[in-house]
């Protein structure tokens, strides 16, 4: 066991090399911007799966709930438990699949809410919950064209009816997920919405049938009293049209200040929440013709001032950015040179001859008027900004800023 002083010293040391800053004021601003698009009765679910896209799930969840979100979305049971252990009370939907009796017991114990997609799953849920003598709100997922989790839209009404008749399951919502909401061409999204509507109509007929069976004394649940909440929209659909919002929207990316597509940039003003920073650890002059880093992928064409920075691919900088990325120092942009190594990168600082060891380098984020975004890296690498945000490892401590004073985000246990 470390003493309190040793723990504090270790925490400070972890921030002496490289770290991720999480701007909570920007996060709250983004949540409020998203809320401003919604009708008053439409709920906002903030999606905090994958440790809140790398931002730190508990801190993000607390800030988002304060700023107007009322639901949280996670991918896995442990992600949900982490939020509950931090004392977060908001309803938590598990977006991923959960199938075993052991998983179901954990979900019930931690008051999480599962997604149901298949009859086998509904039956094992019902059986397990009956043995626990516990009732659970469940969310029915319909596949309207994503071909991922969900019951086929044409079978949705039958599935809802089955779940309705399973003891100990309460249908809390019915939802689907869009495959192409970020495309400027809405054709496929419209077809998915049409299928969602078709399923909704068929389910309404089922609901009437359910009321009839209730009158004959079979069962009462919220499908009989009130039609379950419907939801379909991710960030892109939320920014596209209110017509896609239904009773709730599930927003991840925009919470973190990024746009899913260029054509959606006009809708709201979002601020990036994450910045990645590192420290200059050595500065040197190299002669013309000197090779830099593994494989000599860079050779100085002139005498050059070179700085070493304490961050590398083991921290989450994709190695494929070698010789392609830039960083910011003192409000200026300078190029990274040579292969990115596991723990360190080299940068050409000839433009800043008096640069000192210990100065802060902005690897991702804003410095003065310049900004490097996750979407800039995504474009160079041919990927999406979601993947960039999720790539930063937990060797980098998350440091929350933008609150009343600097506050360190607890690392993940
Ligand atoms: C991840 C996820 C979201 C959030 O998507 P964004 O594009 O980041 O807003 C919404 N719904 C489901 C089912 C998801 O898996």
């Amino acid at each position: 066991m470390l003493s309190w002083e040793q723990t504090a010293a270790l925490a400070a040391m972890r921030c002496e090399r490289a770290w991720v800053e999480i701007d909570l004021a920007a996060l709250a601003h983004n949540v409020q911007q998203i809320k401003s698009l919604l009708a008053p009765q439409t709920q906002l679910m903030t999606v905090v799966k994958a440790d809140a896209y790398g931002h730190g799930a508990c801190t993000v969840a607390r800030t988002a709930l304060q700023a107007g979100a009322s639901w949280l979305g996670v991918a896995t049971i442990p992600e949900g438990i982490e939020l509950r252990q931090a004392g977060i009370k908001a309803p938590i939907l598990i977006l991923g699949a959960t199938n075993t009796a052991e998983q179901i017991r954990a979900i019930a114990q931690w008051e999480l809410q599962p997604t149901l997609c298949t009859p086998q799953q509904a039956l094992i849920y019902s059986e397990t919950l009956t043995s626990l003598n516990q009732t659970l709100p469940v969310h029915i997922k319909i596949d309207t064209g994503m071909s991922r989790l969900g019951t086929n839209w044409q079978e949705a009404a039958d599935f809802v009816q089955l779940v309705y008749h399973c003891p100990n399951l309460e249908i809390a919502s019915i939802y689907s997920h869009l495959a192409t909401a970020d495309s400027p061409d809405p054709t496929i999204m419209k077809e998915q919405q049409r299928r969602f509507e078709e399923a909704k109509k068929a389910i309404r007929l089922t609901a009437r049938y359910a009321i009839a069976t209730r009158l004959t004394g079979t069962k009462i649940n919220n499908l009989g009293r009130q039609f379950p909440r419907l939801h379909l929209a991710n960030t892109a659909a939320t920014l596209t049209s209110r017509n896609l919002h239904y009773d709730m929207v599930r927003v991840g990316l925009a919470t973190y200040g990024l746009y899913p597509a260029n054509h959606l940039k006009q809708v709201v003003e979002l601020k990036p929440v994450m910045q990645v920073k590192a420290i200059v650890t050595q500065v040197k002059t190299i002669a013309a013709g000197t090779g830099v880093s593994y494989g000599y992928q860079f050779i100085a064409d002139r005498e050059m001032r070179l700085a070493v920075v304490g961050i590398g691919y083991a921290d989450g900088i994709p190695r494929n950015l070698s010789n392609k990325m830039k960083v910011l120092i003192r409000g200026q942009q300078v190029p990274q040179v040579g292969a990115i190594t596991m723990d360190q990168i080299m940068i050409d600082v000839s433009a800043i001859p008096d640069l000192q060891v210990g100065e802060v380098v902005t690897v991702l984020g804003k410095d003065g008027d310049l900004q490097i975004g996750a979407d800039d890296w995504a474009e160079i690498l041919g990927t999406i900004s979601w993947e960039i945000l999720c790539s930063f490892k937990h060797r980098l401590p998350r440091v929350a800023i933008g609150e009343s004073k600097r506050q360190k985000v607890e690392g993940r246990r």
Side-chain angles (χ1 to χ4, degrees), residues 2-288:
L2 296 178
S3 72
W4 186 88
E5 286 84 357
Q6 284 170 321
T7 307
L10 186 60
M13 208 181 299
R14 288 170 71 215
C15 291
E16 275 166 12
R17 175 181 164 270
W19 63 95
V20 173
E21 281 182 13
I22 303 300
D23 184 343
L24 297 180
L27 185 77
H29 164 89
N30 296 337
V31 171
Q32 286 153 3
Q33 287 284 299
I34 298 157
K35 278 285 280 186
S36 74
L37 297 173
L38 310 182
Q41 71 279 11
T42 304
Q43 307 275 303
L44 172 60
M45 173 186 289
T46 295
V47 178
V48 296
K49 64 192 180 193
D51 201 27
Y53 296 31
H55 292 66
C58 295
T59 313
V60 165
R62 278 193 208 101
T63 306
L65 291 167
Q66 267 170 20
S70 52
W71 279 73
L72 299 169
V74 299
T76 68
I77 297 169
E79 287 177 353
I81 293 176
E82 186 188 353
L83 297 171
R84 285 283 179 257
Q85 283 185 314
I88 290 163
K89 301 277 193 293
I92 299 172
L93 170 58
I94 301 174
L95 300 162
T98 52
N99 289 305
T100 68
E102 203 172 19
Q103 289 177 319
I104 296 163
R105 283 193 288 271
I107 286 171
Q109 184 192 337
W110 292 96
E111 294 181 32
L112 307 172
Q113 303 190 20
T115 294
L116 293 194
C117 306
T118 68
Q120 301 90 296
Q121 197 191 6
L123 294 176
I124 182 166
Y125 259 89
S126 187
E127 203 171 284
T128 308
L129 290 165
T130 304
S131 73
L132 291 171
N133 195 24
Q134 219 171 319
T135 299
L136 203 62
V138 299
H139 302 255
I140 306 240
K141 179 88 182 273
I142 307 177
D143 180 1
T144 55
M146 173 74 181
S147 302
R148 203 170 65 174
L149 280 187
T151 191
N152 191 305
W153 87 96
Q154 287 147 319
E155 291 150 15
D158 287 345
F159 183 54
V160 167
Q161 194 170 352
L162 172 95
V163 176
Y164 176 80
H165 285 100
C166 283
N168 301 54
L169 304 184
E170 295 246 353
I171 300 172
S173 87
I174 298 172
Y175 77 104
S176 187
H177 192 48
L178 297 166
T180 65
D182 49 2
S183 163
D185 178 354
T187 313
I188 295 167
M189 179 168 69
K190 283 189 172 152
E191 174 59 14
Q192 280 200 264
Q193 187 180 24
R194 192 195 64 71
R195 293 172 181 177
F196 192 57
E197 286 288 333
E198 190 179 307
K200 174 177 138 186
K201 255 188 226 143
I203 293 164
R204 274 199 202 283
L205 289 174
T206 312
R208 272 194 218 116
Y209 169 81
I211 292 165
T213 52
R214 192 182 87 201
L215 291 176
T216 65
T218 328
K219 184 179 159 182
I220 299 172
N221 80 2
N222 51 8
L223 189 58
R225 275 188 243 115
Q226 195 186 4
F227 200 77
R229 176 179 279 127
L230 294 170
H231 46 113
L232 180 64
N234 55 4
T235 291
T238 302
L239 299 185
T240 300
S241 161
R242 257 201 195 179
N243 167 261
L244 295 158
H245 292 181
Y246 293 89
D247 304 306
M248 180 158 79
V249 296
R250 307 183 305 270
V251 177
L253 193 72
T255 312
Y256 309 106
L258 285 133
Y259 296 89
N262 285 331
H263 73 280
L264 295 171
K265 280 189 176 164
Q266 319 308 327
V267 184
V268 279
E269 192 238 331
L270 302 172
K271 297 179 181 170
V273 173
M274 176 187 282
Q275 298 200 81
V276 180
K277 300 198 174 168
I279 294 286
V280 173
T281 54
Q282 194 180 339
V283 187
K284 60 178 70 176
T285 300
I286 56 171

